[in-house]
């Protein structure tokens, strides 16, 4: 199987180090990764690779633009239209144009997989699609942003103020220089949009999510919660039957399965047959994201390429 | 609740057994023989805690045991729920915020814990609301959400269904 890899940031690098372990033909990857501009073969752009290279599967890991999904959206659209499988870690295009892209993939009889877009290494998409196949998914709730969870954990455990915990998160590389996207709940909200659209087939956008971030949370609030053996976590919730799609800080009993520490992510799926199923794991990081991408690539190799 | 039962062995146990069947908890049993009472029945008062919505089932079960229920004095506000509010709580008229819940008739603020770190800093408060039922709690919280929106307060709710 020949793979084209577009995007050679931390996610792309994390993956190329691991990808040979999957027993995949690295030839195309090694050739094409140089065309991303990072490693430089002057004159060959990502677009050239996508439109002219000989490959079976595109791994798209360029930076996310949550509002337009570009340039990744154009790359993915083009690859699918040309009958190539696509694996992406990019939240933008999946949040913005999932239905269009999945229709296109179905038309061309190729796969579009996006495990890495929600909760990093946690195989939530495969759990929902295959592991819990046949169940009615009633509700999904979870901790979808590791940066916020880290800040809240440090405030609760060490009595740090919000500003102190945020600075610490920055120093450790858990928060961006501009943390807005994380702390205001936008990153988590995009993941809810992806889940709502892919799991229930809804057509939601970021504007449909009722978002409250953690940036005005006080230490006193955490202390008040602590007084009743509770803590506060930023929780995302989708309950389609009740029309609920929201990200908000919530008071949680300390022993609740979704109360995880540090940068961990957690997702609880409420189903009709299986009851509640909770998955916990690392939601970010280059090796963790690579894990999700590799599993998508191998899924396609095993179930779609070998058969054809 | 006040019960009337036959003054015979085993009657009290029979009357109390249904309480645990519906998941209730007996707080007190007041069992007094009244010397002036000439009939062959006795009156017993029991105080108990019941899960939401179980009263009717309990009443039927107790009646099936042949025990007559004379009076049910129901503690009205049984559902408790705490939320945290953050913002300029005093400057946005905290007593009005509380009043909006208290004037509903089906819910009231039972407890308020306020932390004010400094004059120009946002304060934080834990507000415990008691209400008559889950539905009433849902309505009370909806009112509080609206108040929070108007007064630009942040509201942190528990992760439970009171949507």
């Amino acid at each position: 199987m020949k793979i084209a890899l577009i995007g050679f940031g931390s996610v792309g690098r994390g993956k190329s180090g691991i990808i040979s372990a999957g027993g995949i033909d690295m030839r195309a990857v090694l050739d094409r990764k140089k065309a991303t501009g990072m490693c430089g073969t002057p004159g060959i752009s990502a677009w050239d690779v996508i439109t002219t290279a000989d490959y079976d599967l595109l791994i798209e890991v360029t930076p996310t633009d949550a509002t337009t999904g570009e340039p990744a959206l154009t790359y993915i659209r083009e690859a699918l239209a040309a009958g190539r499988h696509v694996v992406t870690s990019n939240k933008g295009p999946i949040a913005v144009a999932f239905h269009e892209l999945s229709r296109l993939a179905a038309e061309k009889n190729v796969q579009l997989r996006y495990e890495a877009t929600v909760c990093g290494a946690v195989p939530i998409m495969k759990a929902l699609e295959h592991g819990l196949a046949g169940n009615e998914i009633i509700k999904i709730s979870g901790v979808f942003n590791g940066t916020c969870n880290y800040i809240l954990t440090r405030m609760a455990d060490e009595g740090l103020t919000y500003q102190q915990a945020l600075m610490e998160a920055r120093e450790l590389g858990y928060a961006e220089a501009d943390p807005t996207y994380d702390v205001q709940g936008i990153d988590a909200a995009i993941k809810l949009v992806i889940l709502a659209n892919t799991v229930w087939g809804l057509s939601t956008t970021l504007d449909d999510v009722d978002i409250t971030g953690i940036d005005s949370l006080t230490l006193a609030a955490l202390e008040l919660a602590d007084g009743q053996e509770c803590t506060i976590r930023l929780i995302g919730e989708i309950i389609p039957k009740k029309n609920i799609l929201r990200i908000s800080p919530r008071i949680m009993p300390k022993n609740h399965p979704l109360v995880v520490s540090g940068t961990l992510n957690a997702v609880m799926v409420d189903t009709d047959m299986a009851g509640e199923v909770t998955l916990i794991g690392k939601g970010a990081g280059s090796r963790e994201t690579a894990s999700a991408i590799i599993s998508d690539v191998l899924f396609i190799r095993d179930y779609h390429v070998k058969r054809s | 609740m006040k019960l009337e039962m036959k003054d015979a062995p085993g009657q009290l146990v029979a009357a109390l057994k249904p309480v645990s069947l519906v998941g209730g908890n007996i707080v007190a049993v007041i069992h007094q023989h009244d010397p002036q009472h000439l009939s062959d029945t006795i009156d017993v008062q029991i105080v108990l805690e019941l899960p939401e919505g179980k009263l009717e089932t309990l009443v039927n079960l107790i009646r099936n045991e042949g025990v007559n229920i004379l009076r049910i004095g129901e503690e009205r506000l049984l559902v408790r729920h705490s939320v945290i509010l953050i913002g300029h709580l005093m400057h946005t008229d905290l007593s009005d915020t509380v009043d909006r819940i208290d004037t509903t008739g089906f819910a009231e603020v039972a407890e308020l814990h306020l932390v004010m770190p400094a004059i120009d800093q946002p304060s934080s408060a834990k507000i415990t609301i008691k209400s008559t039922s889950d539905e009433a709690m849902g309505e009370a919280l909806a009112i509080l959400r609206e108040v929070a929106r108007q007064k630009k307060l942040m509201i942190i709710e528990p992760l439970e269904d009171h949507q």
Side-chain angles (χ1 to χ4, degrees), chain B residues 5-51:
Chain B
M5 62 186 73
K6 286 198 193 79
D7 191 6
Q11 275 296 299
L12 183 60
V13 174
L16 295 181
K17 209 162 63 182
V19 176
S20 60
L21 285 178
V22 298
N25 179 37
I26 297 166
V27 177
V29 179
I30 303 143
H31 179 203
Q32 252 177 348
H33 275 283
D34 183 350
Q36 307 298 315
H37 207 88
L38 294 173
S39 78
D40 58 354
T41 62
I42 54 161
D43 292 350
V44 175
Q45 281 192 50
I46 58 176
V47 179
L48 43 91
E49 290 170 348
L50 282 183

Side-chain angles (χ1 to χ4, degrees), chain B residues 53-117:
Chain B
K54 286 290 182 191
L55 185 61
E56 203 178 327
T57 317
L58 179 68
V59 166
N60 289 332
L61 286 170
I62 291 177
R63 287 206 172 118
N64 289 345
E65 296 291 335
V67 174
N68 190 20
I69 298 172
L70 296 176
R71 199 177 69 227
I72 300 173
E74 202 180 335
E75 158 74 66
R76 224 171 43 82
L77 304 170
L78 288 176
V79 182
R80 290 173 70 93
H81 216 67
S82 296
V83 302
I84 292 174
L85 289 175
I86 300 174
H88 293 286
L89 296 163
M90 296 306 289
H91 300 296
T92 56
D93 197 349
L94 185 60
S95 71
D96 168 72
T97 305
V98 171
D99 275 353
R100 302 256 199 122
I101 301 297
D102 284 356
T103 52
T104 58
F106 52 74
E108 60 190 55
V109 173
E111 219 178 291
L112 183 71
H113 189 150
L114 183 65
V115 183
M116 294 181 289

